[in-house]
Amino acid sequence: MLVASTLAQAASAVMVHGPAFLIPTLHREGMSLPEAGLVAAAPSVGMMLALVAWGWVTDRRGERFVLLTGLTGAALAGLASVLVDGLAPLVVTLVLGGAAAASTNAASGRVVVGWFPPERRGLAMGFRQMSQPIGVGIAAVSIAVVADEHGVSAALWVPTIAAVAVLGLVAAVVLDPPRPARTAESADNPYRGSRYVARIHGVSVLLVVPQFVVWTFALVWLVQGRGWSPAAAGTLVGVAQVAGALGRMGAGYLSDVVGSRLRPLRWVALAAAATMALLGLAVGLELSVAVLLLVIATMVTVADNGLAFTAIAERAGPFWSGRALGLQNTAQYLAASAVPPLAGLTVTHAGYAAAFALAAIFPVVAAPLVPVDAERPLS
């Protein structure tokens, strides 16, 4: 069940993030960079538009239905993207693919939360949260190469085949977790009368900033600021992504051990603040330890995702967590979309050291907002 849920989310990541690796080929074939950027952004737009709606369907119809329906839609949209010709039809099919792939975000997480007991849930969710780097890695090593050698249409078979393959696995393996009887308390709106879930949303949005500053500018800083070759820089970034995936598992396991999702979440926020500040200082002083700090920052700044996701699902319950998780992801995607251009302006006018150091402010603000005192015992 855990592997199927993780691979479903990984297939979604291939669908959503894969078109970004088409940009070099699209540009070489005559498409302008803004047009190629529109193609790359199309699935993310579709995902943001559909996350809350899929969460609502998950609350009403269950996880298996949503995963099967969404992956089927993603496969059909992927097939359509292979067959169409022209910028507008390609963008439309990729928007639809992203919207369909959004189905896995809440549903696959709820499968994990529903089937794993509280004392093992953090580690299980940390494993599931490895799906994004897995999906991006699959896209990175396949789509760009296939597009370069065989064209864009051939490369778009990669997310299509991934969706079809995982669809079969989900159909064979995934069952809806058992639900408690619907009562007034269990079906109560978690946003009514409490700011607990809303505060976790806010904390997660703040913690997205250092994560995407590092993700966006790590490779270009290594190449431009340290004089590394693109191949060497890409290898280090890949290693850092693996470290980040393991960091998510480690944070989840820690939450199981201490019996709390939010205390480790606050620790991660403080660690992210310290790491980003030290990274900014080391880059400014041109110290060689900056490279090691970059890897550590990559690991630390993503460790919060599974903790916040699990905490929201546990508090919102089976009749509201789909919508709550949809809102969580939507807010994070919106914040993440603003980070690259704003951080790019900072780099342009003040340098990489300032961009990394300023990113430390956001986890500093986030740490006291984590509602540790309002957390309930794991159950």
Side-chain angles (χ1 to χ4, degrees):
M1 202 79 73
L2 177 57
V3 170
S5 299
T6 302
L7 292 180
Q9 187 63 36
S12 172
V14 176
M15 179 69 70
V16 172
H17 300 288
F21 299 99
L22 295 172
I23 290 177
T25 302
L26 290 170
H27 188 50
R28 188 183 68 239
E29 293 181 352
M31 193 175 287
S32 69
L33 282 178
E35 290 173 335
L38 181 63
V39 171
S44 295
V45 172
M47 172 168 277
M48 283 192 290
L49 293 174
L51 279 166
V52 176
W54 278 118
W56 182 84
V57 177
T58 305
D59 291 333
R60 299 294 178 181
R61 294 296 303 272
E63 296 79 2
R64 179 179 170 87
F65 172 83
V66 167
L67 287 173
L68 292 177
T69 304
L71 288 169
T72 299
L76 292 174
L79 178 61
S81 72
V82 172
L83 300 177
V84 300
D85 187 28
L87 176 62
L90 178 60
V91 168
V92 169
T93 56
L94 291 177
V95 168
L96 293 174
S103 60
T104 65
N105 280 53
S108 66
R110 284 190 19 158
V111 169
V112 176
V113 171
W115 281 110
F116 280 81
E119 65 274 11
R120 292 193 292 136
R121 191 176 292 151
L123 177 60
M125 187 62 80
F127 185 93
R128 181 261 183 192
Q129 292 295 100
M130 295 173 67
S131 55
Q132 186 180 39
I134 290 173
V136 173
I138 291 172
V141 301
S142 59
I143 289 180
V145 175
V146 175
D148 184 58
E149 296 182 358
H150 303 287
V152 170
S153 294
L156 289 170
W157 277 108
V158 174
T160 305
I161 292 171
V164 171
V166 175
L167 175 63
L169 178 62
V170 168
V173 173
V174 173
L175 299 174
D176 287 342
R179 289 194 181 195
R182 189 182 182 96
T183 64
E185 181 179 0
S186 65
D188 191 33
N189 184 341
Y191 297 95
R192 185 179 297 133
S194 172
R195 294 184 297 169
Y196 179 87
V197 175
R199 284 176 66 179
I200 297 177
H201 291 333
V203 168
S204 297
V205 167
L206 289 168
L207 294 180
V208 157
V209 176
Q211 174 185 334
F212 273 80
V213 168
V214 172
W215 277 14
T216 304
F217 294 101
L219 189 142
V220 68
W221 169 71
L222 288 168
V223 173
Q224 294 183 353
R226 304 289 297 188
W228 288 34
S229 69
T235 300
L236 183 72
V237 170
V239 170
Q241 288 289 338
V242 173
L246 296 175
R248 292 181 177 189
M249 288 188 65
Y253 177 72
L254 178 62
S255 75
D256 291 338
V257 171
V258 302
S260 168
R261 312 298 179 207
L262 298 189
R263 277 186 287 150
L265 180 59
R266 178 174 287 175
W267 300 338
V268 167
L270 293 172
T275 305
M276 292 303 297
L278 289 172
L279 175 61
L281 179 63
V283 171
L285 297 176
E286 298 185 357
L287 301 177
S288 58
V289 74
V291 175
L292 175 60
L293 286 170
L294 181 72
V295 175
I296 295 173
T298 302
M299 180 176 66
V300 172
T301 56
V302 301
D304 64 285
N305 291 354
L307 298 172
F309 207 82
T310 308
I312 289 172
E314 290 175 333
R315 176 60 67 93
F319 303 105
W320 263 92
S321 59
R323 281 163 284 183
L325 294 175
L327 286 169
Q328 166 84 357
N329 285 139
T330 301
Q332 287 181 301
Y333 272 105
L334 288 172
S337 66
V339 170
L342 293 177
L345 287 174
T346 304
V347 171
T348 301
H349 295 288
Y352 290 105
F356 292 141
L358 288 173
I361 296 172
F362 293 88
V364 168
V365 175
L369 295 179
V370 180
V372 174
D373 294 341
E375 187 175 21
R376 299 169 182 168
L378 300 184
S379 61

